Structure formats: C-alpha cells, structure tokens
Amino acid sequence: MRGWAARCRLRKVVLSVIPDCRDASASLQFDSHGMHHLYLIGNMGSGKTTVGKRIADSLCLPFYDMDALLEQASGQTIPEIFARHGEARFRELESVLLQEIAPRPAGVVATGGGVVLSESNRVLMRQSGWMVYLKASPDTLWQRLQRAQNRPLLHTPNPRETLEAIVRAREPLYQEADWVVEVDALSPAQAAQAVQCAYRPTPDAPLKVSVLPDQPQGYLIYIAPALRTRAASLILQQRRFTRVALLTHPPLLHWAEPIRAQFDESDTPVQILRLRSGERMKSLRSAARLYEQLLQAGLDRSGLLIVLGGGVLGDLGGFVAATYMRGIPYVQIPTTLLAEVDSSVGGKVAVDLPQGKNLVGAFHQPALVLIDPELLQTLPARHWRNGFSEMLKYGIALHRGLWRRLQTMLQQGALTARRVRKDPAEWTLPIAQCVRLKAQIVSEDERDLSGKRALLNFGHTVGHALEAALGYRGWLHGEAVAVGMIAEAELGRILGITPDIVAQELRETVAQAGLPTQLPSGINAETLLNAMRHDKKRAGDSLSVVLPTDIGNARLEPNIPLSAMQEALKRCGAS
Ligand SMILES: NC(=O)c1ccc[n+]([C@@H]2O[C@H](COP(=O)([O-])OP(=O)(O)OC[C@H]3O[C@@H](n4cnc5c(N)ncnc54)[C@H](O)[C@@H]3O)[C@@H](O)[C@H]2O)c1
C-alpha cells in the first residue's frame, strides 16, 4: 500500500467500524464524557484486543482494533506486511491509521504494541483520548506468546530473549500512560472491569487507590464523578459509627446537607459543624472550639468526623481527629483541587502557629478518602490554578506522562473558567494519577524519614519561605509553590543538576497555567533565607532541596550552598 491510496483504504475500513454502535445511547455517552478515546497500550500479548472488545461492548462504543484494521485495509496479514515492506513501512501505516482514528467518534482503540515508539503517535493519543497501559510481566507474555505464529518481531533465534528486550525498552514509554492496570493476576473480564473503572469511573464502580496496603492504618481512596451520592454507604461499609460530625464551610452546605441526609436511613445521627474559610482558621483556637463542639455533640471514640472542605479544613479537621480523645477516625471529602490531588491523602495534619505554618501537627491517616471532581464545579478559577500548581509538581518531579498530560490540558484550554465549570469530570484521571503517585510515596515513606516523601516538596522550600515572608496573606499556597518550583529549578541549573531545557519548559508551562513565575516585588532574598532556616523540614544548619534532574525525575540534594540559593532567588526577582 502506498501514499494516498493507503490513506483512502484505511479511512474506509475505519469508517466501517463506526456504525455498529452509533445508536442513541452511545451518542449520549459521547456528549456527557467529551470526545475521548480509550487507547489501550501495552506489549503484544497483554490482552489489548480481548479487553478492548469487552469494554467497547459494555459501553456500546466503536471498537478500533488497529492490527485488524491494517490487515483489512491492506489485504495482508501483519507478518506479510513486515515481510514484504519491512517494519518501518508498517510503522508508517500504523501512524496514518492512528491519524484516521483520532478525530472519529470516541471509541476503544486496541493499539499495536509498538505504537508508542513514535513521539507523534503518543502526542496524538494524548490529544484525542486517555491512554491505559495493560502491564503484563515477561513471564505472562511469554506464556501467551510462545506458540504464536503471527508475531513477526519474535521471529528470531531466541524469541524469549527478544521479548524481554522489547519489554525493557518499551516500559518507560508505556509508563507515560494516564493509568496502568497490572493484568498478570486478572481474567479478561476483571482486566476489562479495571480499565473501565479508570476510563469511566462511576459511584458504583469508582477508581480505587490503596494507601499503606497491609498496614493497620492503611485505607482506600475512591475517585469518581458524583461519588458524593454514595458517601454514606461507602463510609458505613467500613463500620458502624454511633455518631457522626460533619465539618464544613457555610458556602458548602449545599453539598453537606444531602450527604447528611444519606445517613438518615441508617439511623446514624449526624451533626453539621460550620467554620469560616481562610488559613487563619488553621489555628489552635479553632481546634479548641471544635473539641468543645464535638463534646457537645456527644462524640466519643466510637464516633466519626467527616471533613468536607479544602486543605485548610482537611488539615485542621485531621488535627482535631488526631488529638480529640487521643484520636478518632475521620473521612476526607476534599472540595478544592489542591485538596483532591494532595492534602487529603497522606495523613499529615496540622495547625499553624504565629511563628509559622503547620508547626503543630501529627501523622493521622484518614479512614477513607472520597474524591468527587464534581464538587469542584463551584471552585473559583484562581483555586483551580492553585491546585494545578501541585499537579505540575507531581508531573515534573515524578511522572513524565502526567507532565505531558497537564501540558496537553493547558493547550486544550482545560483551565479556562468555562471549561472547568462545565466538565470537572474531565479531570478525574489526572487527579487520580496525582493521588496514585502520592499514595505510592506515602506507602513507602509514611513519616518522611527516608527522603522519598521529600520529593513531594519540590517547590516547597522556597514556596513555604515565601508564604511565611508574606505573613500567609495575598498569595495562595499553590501560587507560592509555582514560583518556588521555578526558583528551585534555577538552583538546580546553577548547581549543574537541572538541565536548562527542563527549567525553561517548567517556566513556560507555569506561565501558561496563569501562575506566577516571579517573586512579588519587594521580597528580599535574605528574608526568604531566614524563613528557610525556620522551616520545620530543615535538618540542622544545612539546606536540602529537591531538584529536578529531568522531566519526571527529581532528587533531594543535601548541603546546598546558601550563595547558590541566593543567586536562584535573585534570578526570580528577589532583591
Ligand atoms: N496536609 C497536606 O499534605 C497538605 C498538602 C498541601 C497543602 N496543605 C494545606 O492546604 C491548605 C490550602 O488548602 P486549599 O488551597 O484547599 O485552601 P482552602 O481550604 O482555604 O480553600 C480555598 C477556598 O475555597 C473555598 N472552597 C472550598 N471548596 C470549595 C468549592 N467546592 N467551591 C467553592 N469554594 C470552595 C474555601 O471556602 C476557601 O475559601 C494550606 O493550609 C496548606 O498548608 C496541606
């Protein structure tokens, strides 16, 4: 097949897939979930076709099987295309086919194993859908493939070794996916169910992320649009509570009331506690008032505190739960983007002192976290950007694929006020990815002892210092972290650890998100250095800072010379 003739035939076979599922209910689903394909990526033998077909049937979506479509269009089998035209030509045809599929109605796409090898293919898949990686171990793949005749890449003297080499080489590219499902222990039906939960999570089949699995303080995070409608049943699945207190802000009562009402059926009394908004509420004084209200409500250790709010309420409510009667269980239902991607997970709870932020606190893990992106519908645009800043932190420090996803969202205008209000559910998977990254790190280093959890503090050494220097007024946490990330990447450049191109890309992306890239005028480098000296995360006199080494990678660098930090701050506008 050559040139335009190939394109025409591919277009024809792609179009032939579509009518199967174009009934009314399918169109409705397209409308309510945007036009996102589900791209299944993974090695040959990982089950993309089998799993993809099941999901397409279950959701009544078109199913695009790339290898089958190529065979149909060319009238040749894949081994024949390889033998007659070579792998390079096959890859070209694969890219042309992908370009044909991308603008078509949303469907499930079983890609060829090598589709991720081309950067432009990865970009196109990200622009037009979600990528889910079906991850199978080399052992599982070999079991499934050892007798297969239709895998031209394995026609070598030692196919097992070849397979392992392919798996190794492609793994970093597959890991750029929006979600990973490990399929070794799953039947096709279970794998399809797991993928469907990532692609279209619902309150009855939400995404689940486990924190500290197999530990007594371990817990689950559930993520799905409209999850709030099942809040009580998910909470009561844990165990019965004699009394429940629900802490929230007055403007969030329209979310709190229906949740309270869900408990009526179980005869569990729920008292709503209201608190004003603002960082100033994260104080010992507020905690003391809440202890009193909990006593008045008759809550004892068989009770539960639910916190419905942003990071301030989550930190304060968690602190109260950690200390009231030596600790009671609590559930986080975060309502800001920052709280959904960060503060509701990990069990760091605290209040501020006049001398600094989070200076009195504890590690107290929640019993459950319920994340419903629809709760963000009313969030002001500035607070979306605030949370987005923490998402950028996860991307640049920990996950290249997430970083690219966030850049794609920005290019597609996802942060514009109109879009976020209309479609907060579009954010589910990127939010879940951040949560998964945090859960993984917390599970490895719950108490911030090994240096692993410190990676989550990229941008925070400078960010916290700036917040302190401003007296916690004027700038939001994520805004301070945004300029903190830029300053710390500059520091990395000065020390020869962060490549110029990484620092540059970070600066451009932060600016594109409408976040600050410069320190506010009048801020003095010495003031910031002083604040860093008081930061509770500092060990002794030396300064340790997380520095990016590449997109998606960072390391904690000890013994940072103060002069280098001073220079980095000056480059970001400090006097
Ligand atoms: N514990 C952790 O691991 C951790 C991590 C990051 C940040 N934090 C803490 O989080 C705090 C910041 O949290 P935040 O940014 O969520 O601020 P926030 O809790 O103050 O909420 C921001 C504002 O949004 C309002 N709001 C909340 N949900 C809303 C909704 N759905 N619709 C409309 N308005 C809504 C609030 O009333 C408030 O005015 C800081 O104190 C920071 O230290 C903690």
Side-chain angles (χ1 to χ4, degrees):
M1 287 207 300
R2 294 257 148 227
W4 68 268
R7 194 175 273 276
C8 289
R9 282 160 76 174
L10 285 168
R11 180 168 301 152
K12 216 165 130 198
V13 294
V14 170
L15 285 171
S16 74
V17 174
I18 298 166
D20 297 339
C21 272
R22 290 308 306 258
D23 64 11
S25 66
S27 310
L28 265 181
Q29 287 190 16
F30 298 149
D31 292 341
S32 61
H33 289 91
M35 293 294 284
H36 286 306
H37 287 302
L38 165 62
Y39 289 105
L40 293 174
I41 60 172
N43 282 294
M44 54 184 131
S46 57
K48 300 180 296 281
T49 301
T50 315
V51 168
K53 178 110 195 53
R54 278 176 181 268
I55 299 170
D57 286 349
S58 152
L59 294 174
C60 195
L61 292 175
F63 177 53
Y64 307 91
D65 183 344
M66 288 187 66
D67 281 356
L69 289 171
L70 272 177
E71 290 189 334
Q72 209 181 318
S74 64
Q76 300 166 49
T77 64
I78 301 292
E80 282 166 355
I81 302 177
F82 265 72
R84 286 186 201 155
H85 309 284
E87 183 178 351
R89 179 67 186 140
F90 172 78
R91 298 279 166 232
E92 264 174 53
L93 286 174
E94 197 174 44
S95 295
V96 174
L97 175 60
L98 193 64
Q99 288 158 23
E100 280 302 322
I101 293 171
R104 307 275 165 211
V108 181
V109 188
T111 63
V115 80
V116 293
L117 294 172
S118 142
E119 160 110 42
S120 59
N121 287 352
R122 300 199 299 279
V123 169
L124 186 57
M125 288 191 284
R126 219 174 265 121
Q127 285 171 343
S128 55
W130 303 108
M131 281 187 272
V132 175
Y133 169 27
L134 298 188
K135 182 174 163 72
S137 66
D139 283 346
T140 301
L141 296 173
W142 180 243
Q143 250 178 21
R144 295 177 185 174
L145 293 170
Q146 54 189 320
R147 273 177 284 279
Q149 293 303 312
N150 57 345
R151 307 290 181 172
L153 287 177
L154 296 185
H155 294 165
T156 65
N158 190 337
R160 165 118 205 186
E161 241 173 48
T162 308
L163 177 66
E164 283 173 10
I166 292 175
V167 170
R168 254 195 320 276
R170 292 180 181 175
E171 180 64 13
L173 300 175
Y174 291 139
Q175 284 293 344
E176 285 192 16
D178 295 291
W179 200 252
V180 179
V181 172
E182 303 211 357
V183 295
D184 282 336
L186 304 183
S187 68
Q190 289 168 325
Q193 176 61 26
V195 175
Q196 202 170 312
C197 286
Y199 179 54
R200 297 273 166 94
T202 63
D204 290 322
L207 260 175
K208 289 181 203 163
V209 175
S210 173
V211 190
L212 295 158
D214 311 321
Q215 298 206 36
Q217 73 278 34
Y219 55 100
L220 279 175
I221 302 164
Y222 291 93
I223 308 159
L227 190 65
R228 64 190 181 283
T229 57
R230 275 197 71 211
S233 78
L234 289 168
I235 290 169
L236 293 171
Q237 259 172 27
Q238 303 260 304
R239 66 177 161 99
R240 296 263 137 204
F241 296 99
T242 50
R243 280 170 192 284
V244 173
L246 197 167
L247 174 62
T248 194
H249 296 305
L252 302 180
L253 280 174
H254 64 287
W255 298 122
E257 264 304 331
I259 294 176
R260 190 204 57 71
Q262 290 168 30
F263 284 90
D264 287 350
E265 269 179 36
S266 64
D267 281 336
T268 313
V270 180
Q271 174 137 353
I272 294 186
L273 312 178
R274 303 147 197 227
L275 208 68
R276 274 186 294 130
S277 303
E279 182 72 30
R280 276 189 318 137
M281 302 311 287
K282 227 175 96 174
S283 65
L284 284 169
R285 206 158 143 225
S286 305
R289 247 186 43 217
L290 288 172
Y291 297 141
E292 246 171 61
Q293 291 179 336
L294 292 179
L295 281 170
Q296 274 166 15
L299 215 84
D300 60 20
R301 292 181 70 180
S302 57
L304 172 79
L305 178 65
I306 300 174
V307 186
L308 177 78
V312 163
L313 218 52
D315 279 11
L316 170 67
F319 176 77
V320 166
T323 44
Y324 180 73
M325 296 199 173
R326 296 203 180 87
I328 59 167
Y330 73 114
V331 169
Q332 295 268 23
I333 309 183
T335 63
T336 62
L337 183 58
L338 179 135
E340 293 204 344
V341 298
D342 194 351
S343 61
S344 63
V345 177
K348 276 191 182 178
V349 296
V351 292
D352 304 335
L353 292 183
Q355 291 84 346
K357 243 174 96 112
N358 300 328
L359 286 181
V360 181
F363 287 94
H364 186 51
Q365 300 295 344
L368 190 68
V369 181
L370 304 178
I371 297 180
D372 176 354
E374 288 181 2
L375 291 173
L376 307 178
Q377 256 158 356
T378 46
L379 197 65
R382 187 177 173 196
H383 284 281
W384 275 95
R385 291 196 293 275
N386 184 43
F388 197 77
S389 175
E390 293 281 6
M391 297 178 87
L392 290 175
K393 170 199 78 179
Y394 287 109
I396 195 119
L398 297 167
H399 198 281
R400 174 185 283 265
L402 174 63
W403 177 257
R404 296 278 174 246
R405 165 60 64 196
L406 297 173
Q407 287 182 318
T408 306
M409 289 171 76
L410 281 177
Q411 283 152 14
Q412 295 179 333
L415 257 188
T416 55
R418 204 169 51 83
R419 276 281 299 281
V420 289
R421 294 239 164 78
K422 190 167 148 257
D423 236 344
E426 290 286 296
W427 288 68
T428 308
L429 212 41
I431 290 173
Q433 183 73 290
C434 295
V435 166
R436 191 188 65 79
L437 290 166
K438 179 149 188 190
Q440 212 173 343
I441 284 188
V442 169
S443 300
E444 284 173 39
D445 181 20
E446 183 190 6
R447 304 240 156 187
D448 217 346
L449 296 173
S450 74
K452 188 87 205 202
R453 192 163 176 168
L455 293 179
L456 297 172
N457 281 329
F458 174 55
H460 284 62
T461 304
V462 173
H464 280 158
L466 175 59
E467 285 185 284
L470 294 172
Y472 305 101
R473 280 189 293 272
W475 281 44
L476 299 174
H477 177 71
E479 293 166 345
V481 167
V483 73
M485 288 192 288
I486 288 173
E488 290 171 23
E490 273 309 312
L491 177 65
R493 271 179 74 191
I494 293 165
L495 298 173
I497 293 170
T498 305
D500 290 355
I501 191 164
V502 172
Q504 183 60 24
E505 195 172 319
L506 173 66
R507 186 182 281 273
E508 283 166 12
T509 309
V510 166
Q512 204 183 351
L515 287 157
T517 56
Q518 284 282 303
L519 291 160
S521 59
I523 283 283
N524 180 278
E526 215 32 63
T527 313
L528 293 176
L529 287 169
N530 254 333
M532 287 176 211
R533 287 191 189 100
H534 286 110
D535 194 315
K536 67 185 181 320
K537 292 203 176 71
R538 262 165 51 81
D541 264 346
S542 73
L543 195 60
S544 301
V545 182
V546 178
L547 303 174
T549 53
D550 194 0
I551 301 288
N553 265 302
R555 68 165 193 250
L556 182 64
E557 189 67 17
N559 303 319
I560 300 281
L562 289 184
S563 56
M565 178 56 102
Q566 203 160 23
E567 170 61 20
L569 294 172
K570 289 204 165 138
R571 289 188 190 180
C572 290
S575 54

